[in-house]
């Protein structure tokens, strides 16, 4: 399977058995063992790379591939750029991106929301397998996030009164605030049972308080809109954390406190 997808490091290693589920019947066999996994850009305060010079064209091309509606893509670009263009980067907040998500709202059916930490490549694969029964929507593959992910690991920012900053560095928080708003809206769209795939070999444990899942998404999972959570931990056999260990105890207690 890994060879068929051009991936030498994607192989079937073991089956981790959880509560019966249509999704698990299809995805549980996939395990990434590459030591360096790909991540969606998750940035902190500080200086980051400047805005790509071709950002608008790349955005519209990516949007066209995914949404396939030029009018919607034009509106999405206007809302996205409007969040930071012509603004002092220090004044850009997560709520500035809300109009973008009004254009591309996150729509997820009950029992379809898939969250993740440190397992982007696996989640990206799983959430593209609807034809084989993995009927889930991940925070990596909704149109509003996939447009950005398809462009690459990018940052962006504006200049007060001067449009978009294409030279010099950008303040990382401008990009971070986009992902904070996205994670908030993705979690608030979840209904019924949610799924989470975490990387069990992360330094510091699978469930870390600084992750977007812990700091943004879990606080926005509210009962009774969300009723339960199913956790999958990906790790090499005998390595890292497994269920009922370390930070996964913290995760279970945190979810139980929210009546999940």
């Amino acid at each position: 399977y890994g060879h068929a997808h051009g991936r030498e490091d994607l192989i079937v290693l073991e089956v981790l058995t959880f509560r019966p589920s249509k999704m698990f019947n299809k995805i549980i066999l996939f395990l990434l063992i590459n030591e360096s996994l790909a991540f969606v850009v998750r940035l902190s305060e500080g200086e980051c790379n400047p805005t790509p010079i071709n950002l608008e064209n790349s955005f519209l091309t990516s949007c066209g591939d995914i949404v396939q509606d030029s009018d919607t893509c034009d509106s999405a670009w206007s809302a996205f750029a409007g969040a930071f263009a012509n603004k002092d980067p220090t004044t850009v907040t997560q709520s500035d991106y809300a109009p973008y998500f009004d254009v591309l709202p996150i729509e997820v059916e009950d029992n379809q929301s898939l969250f993740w930490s440190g397992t982007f490549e696996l989640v990206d694969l799983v959430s593209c397998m609807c034809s084989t029964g993995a009927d889930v929507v991940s925070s990596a593959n909704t149109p509003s996030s996939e447009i950005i992910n398809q462009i690459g690991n990018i940052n962006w920012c504006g200049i007060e009164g001067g449009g978009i900053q294409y030279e010099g560095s950008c303040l990382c928080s401008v990009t971070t605030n986009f992902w904070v708003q996205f994670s908030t809206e993705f979690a608030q769209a979840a209904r019924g049972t949610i799924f989470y795939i975490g990387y069990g070999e992360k330094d510091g444990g699978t469930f870390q308080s600084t992750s977007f899942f812990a700091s943004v998404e879990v606080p926005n999972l509210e009962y009774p809109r969300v009723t339960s959570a199913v956790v999958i931990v990906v790790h090499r056999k005998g390595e890292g954390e497994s269920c009922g260990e370390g930070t996964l105890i913290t995760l279970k207690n945190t979810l139980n406190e929210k009546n999940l």
Side-chain angles (χ1 to χ4, degrees):
Y1 192 89
H3 285 279
H5 284 74
R7 292 292 310 279
E8 299 284 346
D9 57 343
L10 180 61
I11 64 173
V12 174
L13 279 187
E14 61 176 324
V15 176
L16 309 177
T17 304
F18 291 83
R19 203 168 56 185
S21 163
K22 174 183 176 183
M23 183 183 76
F24 295 136
N25 289 340
K26 300 297 182 181
I27 72 171
I28 201 66
L29 292 177
F30 296 105
L31 182 60
L32 284 169
I33 61 170
N34 192 335
E35 291 183 358
S36 63
L37 301 178
F39 297 86
V40 168
V41 178
R42 296 295 173 92
L43 303 168
S44 58
E45 289 290 338
E47 297 297 314
C48 292
N49 292 332
T51 311
I53 194 68
N54 61 343
L55 178 61
E56 180 176 0
N57 181 65
S58 297
F59 181 100
L60 292 174
T61 299
S62 178
C63 183
D65 291 342
I66 295 164
V67 178
Q68 299 183 345
D69 184 316
S70 60
D71 290 338
T72 298
C73 289
D74 287 341
S75 297
W77 167 254
S78 295
F80 176 74
F84 61 90
N86 296 304
K87 294 182 180 180
D88 178 346
T90 63
T91 67
V92 176
T93 66
Q94 69 175 85
S95 62
D96 288 328
Y97 291 100
Y100 172 74
F101 295 100
D102 290 337
V103 177
L104 296 173
I106 296 171
E107 299 175 346
V108 185
E109 295 183 12
D110 291 2
N111 311 319
Q112 279 195 333
S113 297
L114 173 59
F115 298 83
W116 58 278
S117 291
T119 51
F120 175 76
E121 290 183 344
L122 177 59
V123 169
D124 185 51
L125 172 68
V126 167
S127 52
C128 292
M129 292 177 60
C130 295
S131 62
T132 62
D135 196 11
V136 293
V137 176
S138 81
S139 54
N141 291 98
T142 62
S144 53
S145 65
E146 190 174 10
I147 289 169
I148 306 300
N149 290 335
Q150 186 168 287
I151 298 173
N153 292 345
I154 62 170
N155 310 299
W156 56 83
C157 63
I159 304 173
E160 186 172 12
I164 296 176
Q165 169 76 306
Y166 292 110
E167 297 181 359
S169 60
C170 277
L171 190 66
C172 297
S173 61
V174 178
T175 304
T176 303
N177 283 327
F178 171 85
W179 292 114
V180 170
Q181 184 64 23
F182 169 78
S183 290
T184 299
E185 303 226 6
F186 186 79
Q188 290 177 346
R191 300 286 188 278
T193 297
I194 64 102
F195 303 95
Y196 168 73
I197 301 180
Y199 183 43
E201 295 185 46
K202 278 174 85 173
D203 291 339
T206 309
F207 182 65
Q208 300 187 13
S209 61
T210 55
S211 70
F212 274 50
F213 180 64
S215 63
V216 181
E217 292 164 346
V218 169
N220 282 286
L221 299 175
E222 298 295 341
Y223 180 87
R225 173 174 52 82
V226 177
T227 56
S228 60
V230 179
V231 175
I232 301 173
V233 185
V234 178
H235 61 90
R236 290 171 293 183
K237 190 174 182 179
E239 300 290 335
E241 289 183 328
S242 189
C243 295
E245 298 176 354
T247 63
L248 294 168
I249 298 174
T250 303
L251 172 56
K252 181 177 180 180
N253 291 339
T254 300
L255 295 174
N256 286 164
E257 288 171 2
K258 297 177 71 65
N259 296 315
L260 307 185

